[in-house]
Amino acid sequence: MSSILPTIVADNFFSNPEDVVKLSKKYKYHKPTKINNWPGKRSECLHLKNYDFFKQIILKVLSYYYPNVELTFRNSAVYFHKIKPNDIGKNHFHFDTNYDIAAIVYLSQGDINTGTTIFNKDNKKQIIVSNDFNTMICYDTKKYHGPTSLNLVKERTTLNIFIKNIERKV
């Protein structure tokens, strides 16, 4: 698959976003371990309790890059993620070097400051996407990125998607 992928923003990612928010409340959340750098708390990976939903999400994200192509993936992850005001991560902006594609679906309403910033190869801000409920941003993990600001006034809930080992089905 391609090594340089465009950033894609899609509104209305889920047809039933309120049901997804309800589902997010059924999971237990965990703080990062010492080797993780993200702020807030994450659920366990969705494939452990709801593999069909996990697979549906990943295939939908991949369909934006590879429409009408049957694909497989391995070693991928999907988590619910909550960041509360005053949560601090070890590193604000970062790369996700263990994956090929990352995506975020906003499950709480926010604004341009609680969205996501993507940087260009010169580490200059290239794209800032607002935290609009049920909007998805996906991007090549080689792009430097992160939450635009961690100065939150209310909780930021997202679905974080990491995809790896993408291949055409044979």
Side-chain angles (χ1 to χ4, degrees):
M1 297 290 149
S2 174
S3 61
I4 306 276
L5 296 169
T7 300
I8 297 173
V9 177
D11 295 325
N12 303 311
F13 185 77
F14 290 113
S15 59
N16 56 346
E18 291 81 12
D19 292 342
V20 177
V21 171
K22 286 179 190 172
L23 179 64
S24 76
K25 294 177 181 179
K26 294 181 179 182
Y27 281 81
K28 290 182 182 177
Y29 288 76
H30 308 280
K31 292 181 179 181
T33 64
K34 289 183 179 184
I35 61 169
N36 300 120
N37 70 357
W38 39 267
K41 294 181 178 181
R42 284 190 182 165
S43 69
E44 62 189 346
C45 188
L46 270 57
H47 80 276
L48 297 171
K49 288 189 178 176
N50 196 338
Y51 183 78
D52 291 340
F53 184 54
F54 163 84
K55 183 177 176 183
Q56 172 191 344
I57 290 166
I58 290 180
L59 291 176
K60 185 167 183 175
V61 170
L62 289 174
S63 75
Y64 286 92
Y65 289 107
Y66 310 104
N68 306 313
V69 176
E70 286 193 63
L71 300 169
T72 62
F73 58 89
R74 295 184 320 281
N75 304 317
S76 299
V78 178
Y79 306 95
F80 289 112
H81 189 168
K82 295 180 183 245
I83 305 174
K84 293 182 179 182
N86 301 317
D87 280 346
I88 299 171
K90 295 177 194 166
N91 190 358
H92 187 124
F93 295 110
H94 60 280
F95 299 97
D96 294 312
T97 56
N98 293 333
Y99 298 97
D100 301 317
I101 295 173
I104 296 169
V105 180
Y106 302 105
L107 296 176
S108 59
Q109 189 62 47
D111 59 21
I112 197 76
N113 295 316
T114 60
T116 302
T117 299
I118 307 289
F119 293 81
N120 67 15
K121 64 182 180 194
D122 299 321
N123 284 338
K124 293 182 182 174
K125 290 181 181 179
Q126 182 181 37
I127 300 168
I128 301 175
V129 176
S130 182
N131 175 0
D132 288 333
F133 181 71
N134 200 26
T135 295
M136 185 260 322
I137 176 174
C138 52
Y139 46 89
D140 192 307
T141 61
K142 293 174 206 68
K143 290 220 170 198
Y144 197 55
H145 66 278
T148 301
S149 172
L150 291 175
N151 296 326
L152 305 177
V153 292
K154 63 181 185 174
E155 185 173 86
R156 177 186 193 247
T157 303
T158 58
L159 187 67
N160 293 19
I161 303 147
F162 303 98
I163 308 172
K164 187 173 181 175
N165 301 118
I166 304 161
E167 297 176 1
R168 284 185 188 270
K169 266 189 180 178
V170 210

